[in-house]
């Protein structure tokens, strides 16, 4: 009797269903069935309807607020472990609480570290995630973390636009490394230099920017702003307005994760931006904003799962 070596299954939580379906289509497998039962008091439970004994289990779920999404992932990890799964791999397209990666003032928690501890305690053997807010979050885990970058698919899209006088911009000083890396990817494709400019911003408080200044030349340039998160989109919209006032021809924004909370959609719709581009790491209805362009990450995650299953290099697949 022939026994398949290390088979695997893919399951999804409430915030990972659509992306998980696309990943499974890419891999040529069926999405596993998981039943999430809710009780009247708000509690819920997770139960796999397919056997996972001796198999590698990939659980696709973003841990964005509300906390139910994180709890779903933790319960699925625990359920897979108790069902005798060979390995449990948490596929977290958007790693929530990542902005709480350090103590930036006294008497605050480091939320990203706490979430990492919870995922490990639940029983995950490995984590796959996309564009962490801070690279050092990988060090919060004592298990392997495959940190993937969306810059490859974003660079492909920007290249397809055939923009002349292209400039890459960082919306703040902290994102300058991310913008510089993206510019280098574009330079390899376009075979010419892509300058980087930096925005200096001052905040009144979280999600509220008081002033933005641009360091660099954007006169008659097509500007692409690079960031990791679009939450309320206040910074992006304000930066686009300032850049247009300084003579930019067009302004686009590329962000890894489109949270788009509160007034974000209305702000983007009424902004100076030509378009806002982000990945499908979080569900988003296209009808909410005509300026949003969503790019799928199914290939990135699909190729990573293939690499893990075949014990081959992820880096050689140009996913990092």
């Amino acid at each position: 009797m022939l026994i398949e070596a290390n088979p695997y299954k893919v399951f999804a939580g409430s915030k990972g269903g659509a992306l998980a379906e696309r990943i499974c289509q890419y891999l040529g497998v069926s999405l596993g069935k998981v039943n999430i039962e809710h009780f009247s008091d708000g509690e819920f439970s997770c139960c796999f309807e397919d056997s996972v004994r001796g198999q590698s289990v990939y659980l696709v779920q973003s841990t964005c607020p509300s906390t139910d999404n994180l709890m779903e992932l933790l319960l699925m990890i625990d359920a897979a472990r108790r069902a005798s799964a060979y390995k449990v791999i948490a596929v977290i397209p958007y790693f929530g609480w990542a902005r709480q990666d350090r103590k930036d003032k006294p008497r605050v928690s480091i939320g990203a570290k706490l979430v990492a501890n919870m995922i490990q305690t639940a029983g995950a053997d490995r984590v796959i995630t996309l564009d962490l807010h801070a690279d050092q979050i990988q060090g919060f885990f004592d298990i392997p973390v495959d940190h993937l970058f969306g810059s490859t698919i974003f660079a492909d899209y920007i290249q397809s636009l055939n923009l002349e006088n292209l400039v890459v911009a960082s919306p703040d000083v902290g994102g300058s490394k991310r913008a510089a890396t993206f510019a280098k990817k574009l330079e390899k494709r376009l075979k010419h230099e892509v300058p980087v400019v930096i925005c200096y911003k001052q905040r009144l408080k979280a999600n509220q920017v008081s002033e933005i200044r641009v360091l660099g030349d954007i006169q008659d340039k097509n500007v692409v702003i690079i960031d990791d998160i679009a939450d309320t989109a206040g910074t992006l919209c304000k930066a686009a307005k300032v850049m247009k006032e300084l003579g930019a021809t067009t302004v686009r924004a590329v962000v890894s994760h489109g949270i788009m909370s509160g007034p974000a959609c209305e702000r983007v719709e009424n902004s100076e931006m030509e378009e806002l581009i982000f990945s499908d790491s979080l569900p988003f209805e296209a009808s909410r904003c005509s300026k949003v362009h969503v790019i799928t990450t199914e290939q990135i995650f699909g190729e990573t799962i293939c690499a893990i299953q075949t014990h081959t290099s992820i880096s050689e697949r140009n996913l990092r």
Side-chain angles (χ1 to χ4, degrees):
M1 181 177 66
L2 179 64
I3 300 176
E4 184 181 358
N6 191 22
Y8 69 95
K9 280 192 171 73
V10 180
F11 297 89
S14 300
K15 285 292 184 180
L19 176 56
E21 286 278 8
R22 289 190 287 272
I23 293 172
C24 287
Q25 289 175 7
Y26 182 84
L27 294 170
V29 300
S30 299
L31 180 64
K33 296 179 180 179
V34 57
N35 181 36
I36 301 176
E37 182 180 1
H38 290 262
F39 304 104
S40 59
D41 63 351
E43 185 179 326
F44 54 90
S45 65
C46 298
C47 175
F48 295 111
E49 298 184 3
D50 303 326
S51 173
V52 297
R53 183 179 296 275
Q55 301 185 50
S56 293
V57 176
Y58 293 85
L59 305 173
V60 183
Q61 173 77 327
S62 288
T63 58
C64 53
S66 72
T67 53
D68 283 2
N69 300 310
L70 172 59
M71 195 63 193
E72 267 188 28
L73 176 61
L74 297 175
L75 289 174
M76 286 192 295
I77 293 171
D78 184 68
R81 177 63 63 203
R82 295 177 186 277
S84 301
Y86 171 65
K87 294 288 184 182
V88 181
I89 300 95
V91 182
I92 309 174
Y94 171 67
F95 187 87
W97 285 271
R99 286 175 280 185
Q100 299 179 46
D101 62 320
R102 66 195 186 282
K103 288 188 67 174
D104 56 350
K105 55 186 176 182
R107 299 176 296 281
V108 297
S109 66
I110 303 179
K113 172 59 175 171
L114 176 60
V115 171
N117 287 345
M118 293 168 72
I119 290 170
Q120 291 177 116
T121 300
D125 295 291
R126 190 183 199 101
V127 168
I128 305 172
T129 191
L130 177 74
D131 285 335
L132 288 168
H133 180 68
D135 290 342
Q136 68 264 22
I137 293 174
Q138 296 173 79
F140 294 172
F141 290 89
D142 294 321
I143 56 176
V145 176
D146 296 308
H147 184 202
L148 310 179
F149 301 134
S151 54
T152 299
I153 57 173
F154 293 135
D156 289 342
Y157 177 73
I158 296 298
Q159 181 184 7
S160 71
L161 298 177
N162 297 316
L163 299 171
E164 298 181 352
N165 299 320
L166 185 62
V167 169
V168 169
S170 172
D172 53 39
V173 176
S176 58
K177 180 182 177 182
R178 183 183 297 108
T181 300
F182 189 82
K184 288 180 180 178
K185 281 189 176 290
L186 286 175
E187 288 175 349
K188 290 181 180 179
R189 288 166 166 76
L190 302 176
K191 308 300 182 184
H192 62 74
E193 183 182 2
V194 178
V196 178
V197 301
I198 299 173
C199 296
Y200 174 74
K201 66 182 181 183
Q202 294 179 320
R203 288 189 182 273
L204 293 176
K205 57 182 180 180
N207 295 114
Q208 188 173 346
V209 177
S210 61
E211 182 183 14
I212 291 181
R213 296 181 182 180
V214 179
L215 308 177
D217 179 25
I218 57 173
Q219 180 72 39
D220 300 323
K221 307 290 186 182
N222 290 300
V223 181
V224 179
I225 305 172
I226 305 298
D227 206 355
D228 64 322
I229 293 172
D231 188 353
T232 60
T235 297
L236 293 176
C237 294
K238 193 158 190 173
K241 183 175 184 295
V242 170
M243 288 176 178
K244 278 294 187 73
E245 291 173 350
L246 293 175
T249 304
T250 63
V251 180
R252 288 171 171 81
V254 172
V255 300
S256 302
H257 310 290
I259 300 176
M260 303 298 283
S261 62
C265 288
E266 182 180 357
R267 283 175 173 174
V268 171
E269 196 70 59
N270 298 323
S271 72
E272 300 286 343
M273 284 189 287
E274 270 63 33
E275 59 182 337
L276 171 61
I277 304 135
F278 52 74
S279 77
D280 58 352
S281 62
L282 291 166
F284 183 81
E285 296 179 8
S287 59
R288 292 176 58 196
C289 182
S290 64
K291 289 187 176 182
V292 165
H293 181 82
V294 179
I295 298 181
T296 183
T297 55
E298 63 188 54
Q299 181 178 0
I300 295 177
F301 287 107
E303 286 291 326
T304 301
I305 292 173
C306 286
I308 293 171
Q309 288 300 118
T310 57
H311 307 289
T312 55
S313 172
I314 293 176
S315 299
E316 289 178 3
R317 296 171 185 252
N318 297 318
L319 302 176
R320 286 178 169 172

